Amino acid sequence: MNLTLHDTMTGEKRRFVPADPKRVTMYVCGPTVYSYAHVGNGRAAVAFDLLFRVLRHIYGAEAVVYSRNITDVDDKINAAAAAQGVPISAITDRFSAVYDADMGALGVLAPTLAPRATAHIDDIQTMIGRLVENGSAYAAEGHVLFSIESFPDYGKLSGRSVEDMIAGARVEVAPYKRHPADFVLWKPSKPGEPVWDSPWGAGRPGWHIECSAMIDSSLGVPIDIHGGGHDLIFPHHENEIAQSRCADGAPVFANYWVHNGFLTMDAEKMSKSTGNGVLVHDLVKQVAPEAIRWALLSAHYRAPLDWSSDLLAQARKSLDRLYGALRRAADLPVRAGDPPAAFAEALGDDLNTPRAMAELFALAKILETSDDPVERTAAKAGLLGAGALLGVLQQDPETWFQGPVDEELKAKVDALLKTRFEARQAKDFATADRIRAELTALNVVVMDSPDGATWRLGEATGTAE
Ligand code: AMP
Ligand code: ZN
């Protein structure tokens, strides 16, 4: 399977060639852990999970090192800790565990490494020390600032001039800055904030230097792929490049820059800080997590995607059809095979998921229409193999059709269905109807068939109806 990736640095799709196919390295800027992740954060996690899966497929699971950091020192974390009167670690421990569980529900594999900023303060200080020593950074009034004038390539990733940056980013003009676009590597902590001793005064690191230091210590530069949401291109990734290249004297920091597009709701950016978000934590309890994953992958990762009840309903329908085809082929003792060529080609083309998904329906069609056992066997193996690469279609079809349920609800619904069955046998239709209404109120959809009734949860989107 060949892979091309759209590289933000060159603005072009480029054939992916790792520096060392036995050790393929990818770093993605991970969550700031002060509250629940919304579906937009989920989109970023799922997009890079797909890339991780594709890389593992091509180079072997052992050959890919994927590092996704946890930002556990940040103003918003401090604010949340202060508001709740708890230490910072109580917030960050809780929400990094919640993040892992929620992303796990979306089928996101654990990254190989998950470095936390607070565990790398020494590395951060070492890197800042190197930058100060070689004149790329300077200390002033308890701060250390990166001097953008020391790095001629500053602005290359985002394609911005220094004037644009000053205008666009509303950079803070502070008296201790030599240039208004110089950015903070270290700053004094305010009372009550976490604080570490340093040669430049007690304080804490800036956000950008954390990633540079964690990349250095967890992977080493240059890395093959650096990823994140496209909101991070400027200033975060621009600053990471400046820091890492100046500290390491490296001509290249990352060989490919991959950025996912944003998830919006009603055309507005979904954002943690504005509270305009559907939380993954809530949504996975209301709808099949696999349908959420499918919905997030249904647009190309670089394109914007608007979250809506229609999108989720469509995802559900698509999976119903595919699982239906697999159910029809339940008699064939087949395991996942290699993904079919047309599917692999689509996915290898800068992760073109819409095209790859269309190939799944072509396979489903074979299972729906063909009687030829050889053809059907190949189609089922292909569907399962392709699904594994996308991180879908790995459940028993019966489990899919039943839907995700908690045990308490399952026991209740099973009991209601039993009573309804008995009422019908006794021709007590009033009771049967009442139970049906009760099930509907529980958002349970009952499907009667000659073999008895099956059921699943109805649609819910987490968006206000
Ligand atoms: P945060 O926890 O806010 O620092 O974000 C974690 C990751 O999610 C970053 O890579 C962001 O770029 C990405 N992200 C945040 N909001 C969205 C969104 N609405 N759609 C897609 N990605 C997002
Ligand atoms: Zn970063």
Side-chain angles (χ1 to χ4, degrees), residues 78-123:
N78 298 334
Q84 294 171 40
V86 295
I88 276 98
S89 61
I91 301 282
T92 57
D93 286 349
R94 172 167 169 226
F95 284 108
S96 56
V98 168
Y99 182 82
D100 288 346
D102 290 346
M103 295 309 129
L106 297 185
V108 173
L109 302 174
T112 326
L113 304 164
R116 285 169 160 256
T118 54
H120 290 272
I121 300 293
D122 286 351
D123 297 323

Side-chain angles (χ1 to χ4, degrees), residues 127 212-213 215 221 239-250 253:
M127 191 174 241
S212 281
I215 288 173
V221 296
N239 293 355
E240 280 187 34
I241 295 172
Q243 296 161 160
S244 290
R245 283 191 48 202
C246 291
D248 299 328
F253 170 46

Side-chain angles (χ1 to χ4, degrees), residues 27-30 69 71 207-208 210-212 215 226-227 232 236-237 240:
Y27 182 89
V28 173
C29 300
N69 76 295
T71 300
W207 171 38
H208 315 301
E210 296 169 9
C211 280
S212 281
I215 288 173
H226 194 315
L232 301 183
H236 186 54
H237 289 163
E240 280 187 34

Side-chain angles (χ1 to χ4, degrees), residues 28-34 38-45 48 71 76 99 207 227-232 260-264 269-272:
V28 173
C29 300
T32 306
V33 281
Y34 65 96
H38 56 61
V39 205
N41 303 126
R43 184 182 194 198
F48 289 101
T71 300
K76 292 177 199 124
Y99 182 82
W207 171 38
H230 77 65
D231 58 321
L232 301 183
N260 67 272
F262 257 51
L263 189 77
T264 56
K269 164 178 162 176
M270 202 178 270
S271 148
K272 251 191 234 179

Side-chain angles (χ1 to χ4, degrees), residues 123-449:
D123 297 323
I124 290 168
Q125 292 194 359
T126 305
M127 191 174 241
I128 296 175
R130 283 212 299 273
L131 290 168
V132 171
E133 215 166 280
N134 71 24
S136 311
Y138 57 94
E141 298 181 27
H143 293 71
V144 182
L145 292 131
F146 185 90
S147 166
I148 61 149
E149 286 165 315
S150 73
F151 183 57
D153 280 349
Y154 194 69
K156 239 180 155 179
L157 178 73
S158 54
R160 292 181 193 222
S161 68
V162 171
E163 292 73 44
D164 290 348
M165 293 173 201
I166 297 170
R170 283 173 269 122
V171 287
E172 192 192 344
V173 182
Y176 48 79
K177 283 189 182 180
R178 287 184 196 162
H179 187 285
D182 287 353
F183 58 89
V184 162
L185 303 176
W186 190 265
K187 61 184 168 186
S189 302
K190 298 194 188 84
E193 289 180 351
V195 60
W196 290 270
D197 281 334
S198 91
W200 315 282
R204 61 193 180 98
W207 171 38
H208 315 301
I209 193 74
E210 296 169 9
C211 280
S212 281
M214 286 187 275
I215 288 173
D216 233 9
S217 73
S218 68
L219 299 172
V221 296
I223 55 173
D224 289 309
I225 297 172
H226 194 315
H230 77 65
D231 58 321
L232 301 183
I233 297 172
F234 184 84
H236 186 54
H237 289 163
E238 200 72 76
N239 293 355
E240 280 187 34
I241 295 172
Q243 296 161 160
S244 290
R245 283 191 48 202
C246 291
D248 299 328
V252 178
F253 170 46
N255 282 307
Y256 298 81
W257 284 91
V258 179
H259 291 103
N260 67 272
F262 257 51
L263 189 77
T264 56
M265 205 162 74
D266 303 325
E268 254 185 67
K269 164 178 162 176
M270 202 178 270
S271 148
K272 251 191 234 179
S273 43
T274 61
N276 143 38
V278 176
L279 303 181
V280 175
H281 196 69
D282 297 333
L283 198 58
V284 294
K285 292 186 197 130
Q286 297 162 7
V287 293
E290 197 172 334
I292 305 170
R293 184 179 175 95
W294 184 277
L296 291 174
L297 291 173
S298 63
H300 185 257
Y301 75 91
R302 296 182 56 222
L305 177 63
D306 199 49
W307 191 253
S308 67
S309 49
D310 281 355
L311 179 74
L312 206 43
Q314 193 55 47
R316 180 79 172 244
K317 239 171 87 186
S318 297
L319 286 167
D320 276 351
R321 166 135 186 241
L322 297 171
Y323 272 117
L326 286 171
R327 178 156 70 177
R328 213 164 300 180
D331 56 308
L332 296 171
V334 182
R335 283 174 178 277
D338 268 340
F343 171 87
E345 201 210 310
L347 206 54
D349 179 11
D350 194 28
L351 307 179
N352 192 329
T353 45
R355 240 173 68 209
M357 285 169 161
E359 293 301 328
L360 298 187
F361 293 109
L363 295 168
K365 180 141 201 184
I366 296 172
L367 293 177
E368 287 159 0
T369 55
S370 166
D371 306 320
D372 175 2
V374 176
E375 203 176 39
R376 286 168 57 75
T377 302
K380 182 174 175 184
L383 195 50
L384 290 173
L389 210 44
L390 287 177
V392 296
L393 297 181
Q394 305 304 298
Q395 304 183 50
D396 180 340
E398 298 308 332
T399 312
W400 163 259
F401 282 108
Q402 175 148 313
V405 277
D406 67 65
E407 287 307 313
E408 206 178 311
L409 179 67
K410 187 173 182 316
K412 188 165 180 183
V413 172
D414 287 344
L416 283 170
L417 283 176
K418 185 162 173 279
T419 315
R420 174 170 164 268
F421 178 75
E422 286 160 3
R424 280 181 159 188
Q425 296 268 300
K427 302 218 180 309
D428 176 2
F429 296 115
T431 302
D433 285 349
R434 186 180 50 71
I435 291 173
R436 178 141 208 144
E438 208 170 316
L439 289 164
T440 306
L442 288 170
N443 193 27
V444 167
V445 180
V446 180
M447 292 153 290
D448 286 306
S449 81

